[in-house]
Amino acid sequence: MRLAAAFRYDVLLQFRHGFYYAYSLVAVAYIVLMQLLPDSYLEKTNILLTFSDPSMLGFFFIGGLVLLEKGQGIHDSLFVTPYTPEEYIWSKTLSLSVLSVATSWIIHASAFGFGTNPVWLLIGVAMTSVFFTFIGLGVAVRVKTLNGFFFLSTFATLLFMLPVLETAGIWSSPLLAVLPTYGSLLLIGAPFSAPSPAQLLYSAVLLLAWIGLAYGWTRNSVYRFLVYKIGEGAEGR
């Protein structure tokens, strides 16, 4: 199965380029921080840290991966094989999401033990990671430099960060409930706040809907800025 083979290749590629070391350093730093915090700050800090880094690192790492592949000219030969753009998108996204979920679980367990039920938290991390990795991939194929990626990513993620203000107790609005990250934060915080089944279902459906939109946009971006560009180059020669 090509997708399984691509998944294994991406895991090895990420390991080779130090992604696992980077995630490990993040995990260790967060574990140390959680051990130093008073108990009254642990829950909210865990929610914000889990959301802001392990679930979103894929957004930035996918940018580095795609730009690295662009620089090496990998896409010129990759998409003339049976390997499809859809498999390309999913293999990269799932490989980074698995890493995010594993890191988040370790960080959570270090502070609250392995006896707690992290199911909804891990579901929230996985779905958030998939969403942001899609967005990061869609942005990365449109730019040529890392600076360009960071510039565009600021605008691409600024709106989605607003629910963090509500979790931090800074600002709240009913309109935030339509953003995917509202669902992310509710699911990630589920082990601590015991949301109702209706809230959990709403959050999961909300994230699924946004993931569908993000995937459609990313798929269109990959075809437009990678696949079709390769075709135009071949015609020019």
Side-chain angles (χ1 to χ4, degrees), residues 12-201:
L12 291 173
L13 184 68
Q14 291 158 20
F15 186 83
R16 192 178 306 131
H17 287 290
F19 285 20
Y20 279 72
Y21 298 114
Y23 268 87
S24 298
L25 288 174
V26 169
V28 169
Y30 284 178
I31 289 170
V32 171
L33 176 62
M34 297 287 284
Q35 296 299 320
L36 295 175
L37 286 174
D39 291 344
S40 58
Y41 289 94
L42 277 180
E43 292 182 3
K44 185 170 289 188
T45 302
N46 182 263
I47 294 170
L48 293 175
L49 291 181
T50 301
F51 169 77
S52 66
D53 272 297
S55 60
M56 282 189 60
L57 278 177
F59 178 90
F60 296 103
F61 281 160
I62 194 65
L65 272 176
V66 171
L67 289 170
L68 178 66
E69 290 176 345
K70 277 186 173 183
Q72 295 175 341
I74 290 176
H75 301 131
D76 293 337
S77 57
L78 184 64
F79 294 126
V80 297
T81 69
Y83 185 57
T84 67
E86 290 79 10
E87 289 167 337
Y88 175 82
I89 294 168
W90 279 108
S91 67
K92 283 191 162 27
T93 299
L94 293 178
S95 59
L96 286 171
S97 296
V98 167
L99 187 52
S100 292
V101 169
T103 305
S104 298
W105 181 66
I106 291 171
I107 294 171
H108 175 81
S110 71
F112 302 100
F114 291 93
T116 59
N117 185 358
V119 172
W120 284 109
L121 179 147
L122 297 180
I123 290 173
V125 170
M127 297 177 77
T128 303
S129 180
V130 168
F131 172 76
F132 277 107
T133 304
F134 280 160
I135 298 296
L137 179 54
V139 172
V141 298
R142 294 166 179 263
V143 300
K144 296 181 179 180
T145 66
L146 199 57
N147 286 338
F149 174 78
F150 285 126
F151 178 77
L152 280 184
S153 67
T154 301
F155 296 100
T157 59
L158 188 59
L159 176 66
F160 297 128
M161 294 298 102
L162 290 177
V164 172
L165 299 178
E166 183 174 66
T167 301
I170 298 173
W171 177 72
S172 179
S173 169
L175 296 177
L176 298 178
V178 302
L179 296 175
T181 42
Y182 174 88
S184 301
L185 290 163
L186 191 144
L187 292 176
I188 291 171
F192 315 114
S193 59
S196 68
Q199 289 176 308
L200 293 171
L201 179 61

